[in-house]
Amino acid sequence: MAIEAIKGVKTLAELASEYQVHPNQISDWKKQLLSNAPDLFASGKKKQAQTEEELTAPLYEEIGRLKMDVKWLEKKL
């Protein structure tokens, strides 16, 4: 709703009646979004990068273990 309020396609009264929320609440959300927007989008990218690294590290470890197992089995055969 805050994004819709920023776009200005509909008035606060129209948005309030559509979503059954008080217009003051929508204007508060709009102010919060405008003041915190750079932090919201910047931190999301950092969190995503950390989780991606956290997900790939164990997979690379597993690949290394499996390669070692394959080499060991080739020597035994």
Side-chain angles (χ1 to χ4, degrees), residues 8-52:
V9 176
K10 296 181 181 178
T11 64
L12 290 178
E14 291 173 337
L15 290 171
S17 64
E18 182 179 338
Y19 293 106
Q20 299 177 354
V21 179
H22 198 276
N24 290 343
Q25 184 65 48
I26 296 173
S27 63
D28 288 343
W29 288 336
K30 180 181 172 181
K31 288 177 189 175
Q32 289 176 1
L33 179 63
L34 289 173
S35 65
N36 297 326
D39 295 334
L40 291 172
F41 294 112
S43 65
K45 290 180 182 178
K46 289 179 184 175
K47 287 181 182 177
Q48 183 181 8
Q50 289 175 348
T51 56
E52 187 174 320

Side-chain angles (χ1 to χ4, degrees), residues 48-59:
Q48 183 181 8
Q50 289 175 348
T51 56
E52 187 174 320
E53 290 174 6
E54 290 172 356
L55 291 173
T56 55
L59 295 174

